[in-house]
Amino acid sequence: MRTPFLAALAVAAACNSDTATAPQSTTSDNPPASIAAPTSLSLTAGSSEPLRFFVIAANGDTIVNPTIHSASSNPAVAVLNETHDVQAGVAGTALITLTAVDASGAELPNVQLQLAVTVELPAMYGILINAPPTEVLAGDSFDLTATPVDGSGAPIRGYDVLWASGDPSIATVDAVGHVSAIGAGTVAITASAEGFTSDVVFVVNERVAVSLAATPSDTALIVGTTARIAATAVDAHNRVIENAPVSFVSEDPRIATVDDAGNVTAMGAGSTVILVSIGAIAVSVPITVQ
């Protein structure tokens, strides 16, 4: 919305009258003495508005087809283009300085006017989130994008969006919408801005092991010594399942015992087997103790 002229002169009013015409000069006839234009302007981000201005000569005439130079204190917010439109960029404030130019093209620093421009974001009417996968596996990750929109559904840039997870034990989300699936369950991820919220819901499933490997494949120990069996479970996508719930059981604890981490302790001479399993999958690791 354009504000009224605060620096308007009587000659400018006469120039716009249907019944009167203000005296006119060229820059070569009379040097510019003042600029009449709005001193403040409010725009929405991404819009533009023509700037009406007049350059007044020293004798009071309006100069025909005047040339002015402009400089913005914050070009990202607002600038005056070559066709004298004020172009609004991002939200914020900028001070555009208009400087008159003489017949030789030299700027006249003493003939200036400053235009204060305020750029605001368009009003928000909601937030749209891109659709996530309906189901993911624990350990998967993906990106969500939240887009604030105006009343017509057009995207708006510039609003800060906050992300939150309804249950971080199932899935977490960072400040830019990157989601990491943690554990089994159903979870909602919410985006919010300016009092508006939107969420998406998806299911996280545990990874199912389809193969299991144990190393070393066999172990020879001396009574009183220890060794560790490492188990690796892999899912259907050939991805290692981190922190897989693998169990370890000794067939004969009199010869060797094993704890939940796969640490084997030789107890007495002989041979036994450590059974390593996850779900219905199991492998055996022979143990010989001397």
Side-chain angles (χ1 to χ4, degrees), residues 102-175:
D102 67 15
S104 68
E107 291 187 349
L108 301 173
N110 61 325
V111 185
Q112 292 184 331
L113 182 139
Q114 290 187 321
L115 171 64
V117 181
T118 300
V119 177
E120 299 177 345
L121 292 173
M124 185 193 302
Y125 282 79
I127 302 174
L128 300 179
I129 304 179
N130 64 306
T134 55
E135 294 189 17
V136 298
L137 296 175
D140 287 346
S141 63
F142 57 90
D143 293 319
L144 291 175
T145 301
T147 305
V149 294
D150 63 16
S152 67
I156 305 172
R157 296 180 180 271
Y159 282 105
D160 293 327
V161 175
L162 300 178
W163 292 96
S165 170
D167 190 339
S169 68
I170 297 175
T172 60
V173 61
D174 67 13

Side-chain angles (χ1 to χ4, degrees), residues 6-221:
L6 299 181
L9 302 178
V11 64
C15 184
N16 287 315
S17 171
D18 293 333
T19 59
T21 301
Q24 296 181 342
S25 297
T26 63
T27 305
S28 58
D29 296 331
N30 288 289
S34 63
I35 301 173
T39 55
S40 63
L41 189 65
S42 294
L43 298 171
T44 55
S47 67
S48 64
E49 185 169 333
L51 177 68
R52 293 198 65 190
F53 67 92
F54 300 92
V55 177
I56 311 303
N59 66 352
D61 291 355
T62 300
I63 295 177
V64 179
N65 298 322
T67 298
I68 61 168
H69 291 173
S70 66
S72 173
S73 65
N74 195 343
V77 172
V79 295
L80 185 69
N81 65 17
E82 293 179 355
T83 58
H84 301 150
D85 292 326
V86 180
Q87 292 182 319
V90 301
T93 59
L95 195 64
I96 297 178
T97 300
L98 309 179
T99 303
V101 176
D102 67 15
S104 68
E107 291 187 349
L108 301 173
N110 61 325
V111 185
Q112 292 184 331
L113 182 139
Q114 290 187 321
L115 171 64
V117 181
T118 300
V119 177
E120 299 177 345
L121 292 173
M124 185 193 302
Y125 282 79
I127 302 174
L128 300 179
I129 304 179
N130 64 306
T134 55
E135 294 189 17
V136 298
L137 296 175
D140 287 346
S141 63
F142 57 90
D143 293 319
L144 291 175
T145 301
T147 305
V149 294
D150 63 16
S152 67
I156 305 172
R157 296 180 180 271
Y159 282 105
D160 293 327
V161 175
L162 300 178
W163 292 96
S165 170
D167 190 339
S169 68
I170 297 175
T172 60
V173 61
D174 67 13
V176 295
H178 183 73
V179 178
S180 298
I182 305 299
T186 300
V187 65
I189 301 296
T190 302
S192 61
E194 297 296 310
F196 292 92
T197 62
S198 182
D199 58 33
V200 291
V201 178
F202 57 93
V203 176
V204 179
N205 296 314
E206 291 287 3
R207 286 185 173 172
V208 177
V210 297
S211 67
L212 180 65
T215 55
S217 57
D218 61 80
T219 300
L221 298 172

Side-chain angles (χ1 to χ4, degrees), residues 212-219 227-232 248 261-262 264 276 283-285:
L212 180 65
T215 55
S217 57
D218 61 80
T219 300
R228 184 175 184 276
I229 298 173
T232 302
F248 301 87
V264 178
V276 184
V283 294
S284 297
V285 179

